[in-house]
């Protein structure tokens, strides 16, 4: 083996030893790092556990502290309400005391004037006796009037019974007459018959037109009232004209008409009674009651 080969072998051996030392150092460092890492992780876990326990204790302490603060505030509010109630009661008692003092003063003043009032009461009692006598006489008078009114009511009740009996009799007669009219072939509901049987309702209207038949001299008037106002054929209306200042504003009677034709909003009638000193004209008034 040459010198170079020996040198290379020595170098190789040295390098091998160095690499072995380096590998041992690396292994040792790696083992120490893992142990430290595990230890640090254990420390972190312990610290986290301790922190969690501390946080739990802090949370519990905070809840207890908040509850204590709330209880203290509630007690403070209750005490404040009680204090206000006591102050209000004190004011009330003080006001009642003032009232009692005022009543006492008033009672003293009233006691001082009792003697004078007694005299006035004696005089007043004399006047009251006179008033009572007058009232007694008035009561007796009113009792007499009440007795008379009771007698009048009794008499009126008897009259009412008699009128009811007459009314029932008239109704029976009306039914009987309706049967007779029906047997004669006449319709009781005919407008002319209805107008003859029942009086017209209380209405008031105007003459809107007049016309005279030249053949027979009958005078027709048209009025502003009709069946919608409750009128029917055969009803009679009065005609009048408002007065003037010369006659004292008194209405003037012009005559009476009988309806011969009725529409819903107007009707035509003939003059059956004309006044001697007046002529029925357009604009005159008609009324069912004179």
């Amino acid at each position: 083996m040459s010198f170079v080969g020996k040198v290379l072998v020595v170098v190789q051996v040295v390098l091998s030893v160095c690499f072995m030392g380096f590998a041992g150092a690396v292994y040792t460092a790696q083992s120490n790092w893992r142990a430290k890492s595990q230890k640090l992780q254990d420390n972190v876990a312990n610290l986290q556990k301790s922190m969690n326990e501390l946080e739990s204790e802090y949370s519990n302490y905070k809840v207890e502290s908040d509850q204590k603060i709330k209880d203290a505030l509630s007690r403070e509010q209750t005490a404040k309400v009680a204090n206000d109630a006591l102050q209000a009661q004190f004011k009330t008692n003080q006001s009642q005391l003032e009232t009692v003092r005022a009543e006492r003063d008033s009672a003293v003043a009233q006691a001082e004037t009792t003697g004078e009032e007694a005299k006035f009461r004696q005089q007043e009692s004399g006047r009251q006796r006179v008033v009572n006598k007058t009232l007694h006489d008035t009561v007796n008078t009113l009792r007499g009037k009440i007795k008379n009114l009771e007698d009048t009511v009794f008499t009126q009740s008897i009259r009412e019974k008699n009128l009811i009996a007459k009314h029932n009799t008239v109704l029976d007669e009306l039914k009987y007459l309706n049967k007779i009219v029906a047997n004669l072939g006449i319709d009781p509901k005919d407008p002319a018959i209805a107008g003859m049987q029942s009086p017209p309702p209380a209405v008031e209207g105007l003459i809107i037109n007049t016309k005279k038949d030249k053949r027979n001299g009958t005078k027709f008037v048209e009025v502003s009232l009709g069946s919608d106002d409750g009128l029917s054929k055969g009803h009679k209306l009065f005609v009048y004209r408002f007065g003037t200042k010369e006659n004292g504003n008194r209405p003037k009677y012009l005559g009476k008409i009988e309806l011969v034709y009725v529409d819903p909003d107007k009707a035509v009638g003939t003059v059956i009674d004309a006044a001697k000193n007046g002529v029925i004209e357009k604009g005159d008034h008609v009324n069912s009651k004179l």
Side-chain angles (χ1 to χ4, degrees), residues 39-53:
K39 186 177 181 180
L40 289 174
Q41 289 180 357
D42 293 339
N43 291 334
V44 169
N46 293 329
L47 290 174
Q48 184 68 32
K49 183 177 179 181
S50 299
M51 186 177 67
N52 292 335
E53 292 177 354

Side-chain angles (χ1 to χ4, degrees), residues 150-176:
E150 289 177 349
D151 295 338
T152 302
V153 170
F154 178 74
T155 303
Q156 292 296 334
S157 64
I158 294 176
R159 290 181 180 178
E160 182 182 4
K161 291 179 181 179
N162 294 333
L163 288 175
I164 291 174
K166 290 181 180 179
H167 177 69
N168 294 330
T169 302
V170 170
L171 289 178
D172 294 336
E173 292 178 354
L174 179 60
K175 292 179 181 178
Y176 177 72

Side-chain angles (χ1 to χ4, degrees), residues 19 57 243 254:
F19 282 127
E57 292 178 359
L254 299 177

Side-chain angles (χ1 to χ4, degrees), residues 211-237:
K211 186 176 181 181
K212 188 173 183 179
D213 192 342
K214 296 180 180 179
R215 292 180 297 176
N216 54 17
T218 303
K219 187 172 184 179
F220 296 93
V221 295
E222 185 177 2
V223 298
S224 61
L225 302 170
S227 58
D228 290 344
D229 302 298
L231 297 177
S232 60
K233 184 179 177 180
H235 278 156
K236 296 178 176 60
L237 301 175

Side-chain angles (χ1 to χ4, degrees), residues 192-207:
I193 301 300
M196 295 171 60
Q197 291 178 348
S198 61
V203 293
E204 185 174 354
L206 296 173
I207 301 294

Side-chain angles (χ1 to χ4, degrees), residues 177-188:
L177 291 175
N178 285 334
K179 290 181 180 179
I180 295 177
V181 170
N183 291 332
L184 294 176
I186 301 174
D187 185 8

